[in-house]
Amino acid sequence: MTTETSLLTAADVRAAAARIRPYARRTPLFDLEIDGRRVLLKLEYLQRGGSFKLRGALNAMLSGPLDRHIVAASGGNHGLAVATAASLLGVSATVYVPATAPEGKARRIEAGGARLVRHGATFAEAAAAAAADAARPGHRYLHPYDDPAVVAGQGTVAAEIVADAPDAGTLVVAAGGGGLAAGTALAADGRRVVAVEPENCRCLHDALAAGEPVDSPVDSVAASATGASRVGDVPFGVLSARPREEVTSVLVGDDEILRARDRLWEECRIAVEPAAALPFAAWLAGRVPGDLPCLVLCGANTDWVAR
């Protein structure tokens, strides 16, 4: 596993795929027509733990000697991924979440076997406490997105799409701290990658505009999964190094996100959390360029109710 961001390549994604294969599900593709347009949906919400995050957690934990105890901070999905991966690999885990973490995600983290600690009002406060807790022998802090092994693991979603649907021209993902978008860019084999964020949770969009990671506000119905206030250095290094025509940043409003989430249920009987509907929202709004896009529906870890 490479450790320098600039050296991350598709080979790291292939190695991650082999590493996690005994534990992670290969999720299916759904080929359908909506509003007279053909679109592919990658049903990653069917992943163990309910989101793509399991892939990065597994790859990071398996990339070296297995630590005795894993410590993580999360708005929910990464924490559940760490709890699931730790259970699969036979190690213990502690997950710090902010007080704002959805109850459904917190409940699932505990059910997954991890010790849950609520700390602070923001992810940053929970992360600081988790990092301090992890500074003990036999403990490891596992970052949700700013880690080369995590980025490579997340890229296995796109690697499956490329293998299963080689005619897909555009890969569309939700973006929070940037790990999934960066991994997707590594595995896209020259295809355009569209990273979609809420209008008021836009740290990747702001970083690409500024030419460097910057602090951004966090205020969205999808904030529990896309609520990073600053894009990770590792993901930004990967994405900013790609040709401009290969990476597109798109923003959608909260109303568009909720309408897209509800329409997935009404038309496909697919129930996902708001963040997972971001790619569908952008596609419905006509903001996804290219032919035959594949939209990654990345997670379903919330107590879902129709409006």
Side-chain angles (χ1 to χ4, degrees):
M1 180 70 221
T2 51
T3 55
E4 293 294 330
T5 301
S6 60
L7 297 180
L8 274 172
T9 68
D12 291 302
V13 178
R14 290 192 293 271
R19 204 173 280 126
I20 71 174
R21 188 170 293 122
Y23 307 99
R25 292 173 181 156
R26 187 183 186 97
T27 53
L29 283 173
F30 187 18
D31 188 334
L32 70 161
E33 184 176 291
I34 294 179
D35 294 342
R37 294 185 288 161
R38 185 183 173 204
V39 65
L40 302 175
L41 304 180
K42 175 66 167 171
L43 307 185
E44 186 60 17
Y45 68 94
L46 297 175
Q47 186 56 256
R48 279 177 161 174
S51 87
F52 74 97
K53 291 281 191 177
L54 179 71
R55 298 170 181 265
L58 279 171
N59 191 48
M61 292 167 67
L62 291 168
S63 291
L66 195 59
D67 299 272
R68 187 176 74 246
H69 191 89
I70 305 298
V71 183
S74 174
N77 284 342
H78 175 63
L80 185 50
V82 167
T84 304
S87 177
L88 288 168
L89 299 177
V91 298
S92 58
T94 298
V95 177
Y96 284 74
V97 299
T100 53
E103 185 56 39
K105 292 185 178 183
R107 184 179 68 251
R108 291 181 179 95
I109 289 170
E110 289 189 298
R115 182 172 71 98
L116 181 77
V117 179
R118 290 187 179 273
H119 182 90
T122 65
F123 167 76
E125 292 174 351
D133 186 10
R136 292 185 284 167
H139 287 55
R140 174 186 178 182
Y141 177 62
L142 184 53
H143 199 282
Y145 50 85
D146 206 12
D147 181 311
V150 169
V151 170
Q154 315 305 29
T156 62
V157 178
E160 291 177 7
I161 296 170
V162 170
D164 294 345
D167 52 343
T170 304
L171 308 184
V172 191
V173 299
L180 178 59
T184 300
L186 289 172
D189 195 22
R191 292 166 178 79
R192 184 188 295 270
V193 175
V194 177
V196 188
E197 296 171 281
E199 290 175 348
N200 295 317
C201 281
R202 49 191 288 169
C203 66
L204 175 58
H205 181 90
D206 290 348
L208 291 172
E212 62 181 355
V214 294
D215 291 329
S216 296
V218 174
D219 182 16
S220 171
V221 67
S224 73
T226 63
S229 60
R230 188 181 183 94
V231 70
D233 291 333
V234 172
F236 181 76
V238 171
L239 292 166
S240 61
R242 315 305 291 186
R244 281 187 174 271
E245 63 272 15
E246 287 188 16
V247 177
T248 301
S249 173
V250 169
L251 301 177
V252 292
D254 277 3
D255 286 346
E256 292 175 306
I257 295 168
L258 292 177
R259 284 197 299 269
R261 181 204 63 174
D262 291 351
R263 194 165 178 192
L264 282 168
W265 173 252
E266 291 298 329
E267 296 207 17
C268 306
R269 290 300 184 263
I270 290 174
V272 295
E273 61 188 280
L278 285 164
F280 191 53
W283 182 78
L284 287 173
R287 296 179 201 140
V288 173
D291 298 325
L292 190 56
C294 183
L295 318 179
V296 178
L297 305 185
C298 59
N301 288 319
T302 191
D303 292 326
W304 189 91
V305 292
R307 290 190 300 167

